[in-house]
Structures are given as C-alpha cells and as structure tokens.
Amino acid sequence: MDIVLCLKQVPDVDDIKWTKENNLDRSLMLSKLNPCDEFAIETAVKLKQALKDVSITAISMGPENAKEVLNYAAAKGADRAILLSDKAFAASDTLVTSKILASAIKKFIPNFSLVLTGQMAQDGDTAQVPVSLAQYLDIPDVTCASDIVCESANISVVQKTGSIMNFWEINMSCLVALNDECKEKTFPKINDYIRAQSLNIEVYGLDDIGLDKNEVGIIGSPTRVYRAFRPENKKNTAEISSDFAKFMFEQINKVKK
Amino acid sequence: MNKIIVYCERDDINTLRNVSYELLSKARSLKNEAKRLIKDYDIEIEAISIGASLDEDCIKKAYASGADKFTFIKDDSLNDFCQTIYSRVFVEYFNTSPSDIILFPATVKGRILAPRITTLLNTGLVADCIELEIILKDDDIKLASTRPTFGAQLMATIISKSSPQCATVRENVFKAEFDFNNCGKYFEYLPCRYEETRMKIIKTVQNKICNDVDFSSAKIIFAGGYGLYDGTSNYYEKLKKIAENTCSKYGATRKVVDFNLAPSNLQIGQTGVSVEPELYVAFGISGAIQHIMGMKNSKKIIAVNTDSNAQIFQYSDYKIVADAREIIDELYDLVL
Ligand SMILES: Cc1cc2nc3c(=O)[nH]c(=O)nc-3n(C[C@H](O)[C@H](O)[C@H](O)COP(=O)(O)OP(=O)(O)OC[C@H]3O[C@@H](n4cnc5c(N)ncnc54)[C@H](O)[C@@H]3O)c2cc1C
C-alpha cells in the first residue's frame, strides 16, 4: 500500500519578525514543520507499523531548505522523499499548489491508496489545499480527522468538528486531513537520522511534472495579495495599576445602575 | 447581468444557517457600494441552497435579508450533505447561470465544499474572510476580501483575477438585517443524480447535549479562559457564582470547553455565540482572533492577564496585568 504524506515547512508564527515597513521579514524567521503535519507523519508511521507492505512517500513543495522536513519524515519512517522545487512555483496560491501536488502525485506515485495531509498550514491557515487536492485527484476526502483505522480496502476515520464526532468509512483511494491533536509525539533517535541520511531526496521541477509555466506560481495563481497590514489597536486602553477587584466591583455597579 | 451568489447552508431541520442571512445582507451592501462607484451598476443577488426540502420561512428571510432570487437545487437524494455530490450539482447549475462573485460560509461544511467547487470551476478562493469590500480596479468592479494570516498577526486583503471571484466568510462577523417588504423570485433546479459510493458515515456522536443560553439580554458577561485552570474547575465555578450573584452571565473560551471545564453552550466566539454586553470581563483569555470575533462589539471590555503582551489587551478598554485567580477570589468576597 502506497501512502502519500504531504508536508509543509512554515515560518514560526510565534517568532514573527517585522520590517520597518510593517512587512513580514521572512529572512529573519525560523522555519519549522507545520504543526498539523506532525500528526500526519505519526499517523502514517502508525499505519505502517500496523499493516504489512506499506510504503510512505513524503512530498513537499518549497525551496531547497524544505528538505529539512523531508529528512525529518525519513527519520520517522518515510521510505521515499520528493521535493517539488522550482523558481516558477514561488507565490503559488492554494489552487495552484494543489494542482502542482496532484500532478506530481499522479506522475510519481500513481498507485497511491491514501493521501495524508495536515488539516491546515499555520502560516496561511486556509485549510483549502487538502480539499482542492482531493478534487484534482478525484478522490473522496475526510477533513478534521483525529484517528484512522485501516483494514483491507476500507479505512475508518474519526472526524471531530465542534461537539460532533463522525465515524466515516471510505474506500481507498482517498485523502484524510489530520487535525493538530498529536498527543503521543515520538522523537526519532540518532540511528534514525543516520539511516535517513542515506535516503536520496528526489527533486523535481516544472518540466518534470508536466505543467506549463503559465499555469503555476504567481502567473498561474488567480488570487493575489492586494494589501497587507497589521491589525491595529483602535482602542484607547487604560492600564489599571492597583485595587483591581475594587475597580471591577465599581464597574459592575455602574452598569447595573 | 452582474450577479453575486450566496451559498446558503441548510441544517438538519431544513432551515438555513443564520450566516446565510448575514452574507445576503453583506451582499446587499456590496451591491449598493458598486452602485455608488459606477452609476447604474446593478447587481442581482441570488441565494442558492441544496437539499431535498426547505422550510418556507427561510426563503422569506432570505428575501428580507437581500436576495432577489432564491434557487433551490432539489432532489430527494440531496438530503444529506456530501461534498463530492454537492459540488457537482452546484457546478452543474452554475454553468447554466454563472455569476461574478460567490460567497460561501466559512463553516465546517462550507470549507469542505467551497474548495471543491472552485477547483472544478478553475478559479481562486479566499479563505475565512472577515471583511469584504467592492473596489474599482482598472475600471472594473472587484471583490476585495480581507483575512487574518500568520495566527492573526497579519491581515491580508486579497483579490482574484479569475472569475467567479470566491470567498468563504466567517460566521458572526456581519449582521443579518431584515426588511420584510423586500421580495424575490423562487426557482427550483432539478439536477442530474450523482451517487457517492466511496464514502459513508457509519455513526455520529454528539459529545455534549446542551440548551442554548440567552446571552443577548445580559448586561454583563464574565468570561473565563484557560488561564484560570489550576488543575481543577474551581475558578470556573467561582466565576459562575459571581455571575449569578450580579445578575450577569458567565461564558468561556473554546479551550476551556475543549478541556471539559465548561459546557459547549457557554462558548463565546466565532464557533460559539457572539455577544454584545455593556461590560465584558475577560479573565485569563489570550485573545485569539476566533474568540475576539465573538465579543469585540461589547461596549466596554476589561481584560485580566498575567502576560502584559497578551493580544486581548489590544481590544480592551481596561488592561489589568495580574493573576486573574487572585482577583476572582477578592471579587467573590465582595459580591457574595
Ligand atoms: C476554526 C477555529 C474556531 C475557533 N472558535 C473559537 C471560538 O468560537 N471561541 C473561542 O474562544 N476560541 C475559538 N477557537 C480557539 C482559539 O483559537 C483559542 O485557542 C482559544 O480561544 C484560546 O482560549 P484561551 O484564551 O482560554 O486559552 P489560551 O490561549 O491558552 O490563553 C490563556 C491565557 O491565560 C493567561 N494566563 C495564564 N495564567 C493566568 C493567570 N493566573 N491569570 C491571568 N491570566 C493567566 C495566559 O497568559 C494566556 O494569555 C477556535 C479555533 C479555531 C481553529
């Protein structure tokens, strides 16, 4: 069984650096694996341990240094790693990113049974790529997933949305987007990293996946940023420095009157 | 003819989710804005819903909130939501009667459905918007959609160069406004039948069953965040007592609900209820944008947090950097 594991390297949103003009200064920001994707990796590895003949292909679109997340996935158990990297891919929006991923999956992992992704990326936070990718691949999808059990050609997926829990049964091939609920995170050991180093990361560009340069990147993307700004504080905030409870009590009585 | 489509999500009892009326009301103001920018520029607003049957009052409410036309894509097989089928019937209908703009609710279902539809239509989609504007660009009317990114630390306004221009829009950010003198035309569209044999729900479990709490009449709301957690639910109980003794209401953040420290009907925010009391007191709440969306219209906001950089302070009239539990202890003694 071939599992495709889609991963994204994202800037650390807890460590945002701004330029003087109030733009993000990406050069100063650290990159990390998108948090939801950690759970996707854990799930893939769990399935590999439970079932026979599972092969995991980790795939990521990004610059050269996105190899880091692929190396990490390899250390955790991925058997194959693919980096989709090309200057022409830069600034692709969710539609185009999904199209690039779908083209690559069809070409390089044509016999896939299961595509695993994180529910959303922490930087963009759109949750659109998994759904759009499923549409391009013409397969069903379950998003907001918290657990997967896999038997023969069917998989069962637990989906959690708000206070509702759905139990799905889906035929493969399908896509499952996993939410950020990675409770038992396991850490790769030194030996795992050494083993991962021997894995050759396959790097493919625009020509390899058979798309035209007008279909991808900033040219091919229908949406673009028109303006970006930091949310400003319009409030005149007064800081209270002492007698907090008393202050609150007064405010309560003011309203009650 | 220029047209805005609003996709109206139906719930289990064949009524429309309130966000449908919020989006129709917003569409109406976009229509007026376009008219202001280009004289005689007229936009038709079409509400579209999918299902087997629909409550009639909802259709009236859709007209009252702005719809000029209501199209119900109807078939017995469409009772249960299924993204692969709903997207196909929607696109089938859309191709017979296209529009320039489609607005979807950024609900769980909306966010599963909309990307499928826009992928089929090979067009762009802006996710989870909190503001929509009509702008004039190259002498043309464009939709500009604003959304928070980078954990809400950056706002991005996005435009789309492909048509239709599409966005998913959060619940509870726009106000539904009704004018029951407004009427529209009703159509039914009978689509082809599609079958989805590849996936099915085998069981659904509702975690907690709860009744609605009426926050609308509350003048004061005390809201507890995860910062009150000390390993027990003591401070949530105390806050509840304080609320009861001051004729106020008690609410909570989603994190508090997720950790079973409060029932889910007390959740305030984007996926809970929206409140607008005279006074909102936030104890140990970080101020995540999803929470802010549900309380930012409160007349006066007091926030208590140990972290002086907490985001909640950006939305507060009064900032108190202190241990919220100590304040609750003192306040408890004052009011009880
Ligand atoms: C799609 C989606 C929808 C969501 N919808 C909602 C929603 O409707 N409503 C909602 O609330 N959330 C919602 N959330 C969750 C939201 O993103 C936050 O995770 C949540 O609001 C955080 O809750 P909190 O502030 O209680 O907890 P935390 O973020 O953990 O904040 C706790 C705060 O308490 C402070 N603190 C700690 N100890 C003390 C102390 N002793 N005294 C004072 N302060 C202290 C800390 O400094 C911190 O700021 C949603 C999230 C998503 C992804």
Side-chain angles (χ1 to χ4, degrees), chain A residues 11 13-16 18 22-24 26 29 93-95 98-99 120 122-128 131-136 138-144 156 159-173 218-241 243-249 251-257, chain B residues 81 83-84 87 108 111-113 115-116 118-120 122-128 133 135 137 144 146-162 168 170 196-208 219-220 222 245-248 264 278-279 281 283 290 296 298-302 304 313-322 327 330-331 334-335:
Chain A
V13 299
D14 296 327
D15 177 46
I16 292 195
W18 302 93
N22 259 345
N23 289 321
L24 290 180
R26 286 179 191 252
M29 281 157 68
D93 71 0
T94 60
L95 184 78
S98 314
K99 190 192 284 177
M120 59 186 154
Q122 204 178 37
D123 51 349
D125 196 6
T126 72
Q128 284 177 181
V131 180
S132 184
L133 176 58
Q135 181 60 49
Y136 274 121
D138 196 16
I139 54 175
D141 63 312
V142 174
T143 54
C144 306
S156 307
Q159 176 183 49
K160 264 197 213 161
T161 59
S163 60
I164 294 169
M165 228 154 93
N166 289 319
F167 296 80
W168 286 92
E169 200 172 87
I170 348 180
N171 295 9
M172 294 200 263
S173 311
I218 196 154
I219 308 170
S221 295
T223 62
R224 61 178 195 79
V225 176
Y226 170 68
R227 64 167 181 250
F229 55 98
R230 284 173 82 169
E232 54 182 310
N233 175 9
K234 290 198 201 77
K235 288 233 161 174
N236 243 336
T237 309
E239 182 157 358
I240 307 300
S241 52
D243 293 329
F244 306 128
K246 210 173 124 227
F247 169 76
M248 249 178 228
F249 191 58
Q251 291 291 326
I252 295 166
N253 286 330
K254 240 192 212 167
V255 174
K256 281 204 326 195
K257 246 177 240 152
Chain B
F81 174 81
Q83 64 268 35
T84 54
S87 54
V108 173
R111 294 184 75 171
I112 297 171
L113 180 64
R116 285 214 175 240
T118 51
T119 303
L120 283 165
N122 196 27
T123 194
L125 177 64
V126 189
D128 212 17
E133 298 152 78
I135 56 165
K137 197 169 180 295
T146 300
R147 62 183 308 267
T149 63
F150 286 91
Q153 296 180 76
L154 185 69
M155 294 291 174
T157 303
I158 295 176
I159 54 176
S160 181
K161 63 182 180 199
S162 60
T168 62
R170 280 195 191 165
E196 180 54 90
T197 52
R198 299 171 299 184
M199 60 193 298
K200 64 169 192 277
I201 289 191
I202 38 185
K203 199 168 84 182
T204 294
V205 181
Q206 176 98 33
N207 275 353
K208 287 155 242 144
K219 279 189 166 177
I220 303 174
F222 293 98
N245 274 278
T246 51
C247 303
S248 313
S264 64
E278 304 268 320
L279 176 64
V281 194
F283 291 99
Q290 296 91 352
K296 68 173 191 328
S298 307
K299 305 264 153 17
K300 205 183 272 177
I301 298 170
I302 305 179
V304 187
F313 290 136
Q314 289 183 23
Y315 304 88
S316 307
D317 300 279
Y318 296 104
K319 167 176 180 175
I320 297 180
V321 180
I327 298 184
E330 284 178 49
L331 195 61
L334 283 173
V335 301

Side-chain angles (χ1 to χ4, degrees), chain B residues 226 253-255 267-271 284 286 290-291 305 323-324:
Chain B
Y226 192 66
T253 62
R254 175 154 118 185
K255 194 159 169 186
Q267 182 181 318
I268 290 168
Q270 183 202 334
T271 43
S286 59
Q290 296 91 352
H291 184 78
N305 201 303
D323 186 339

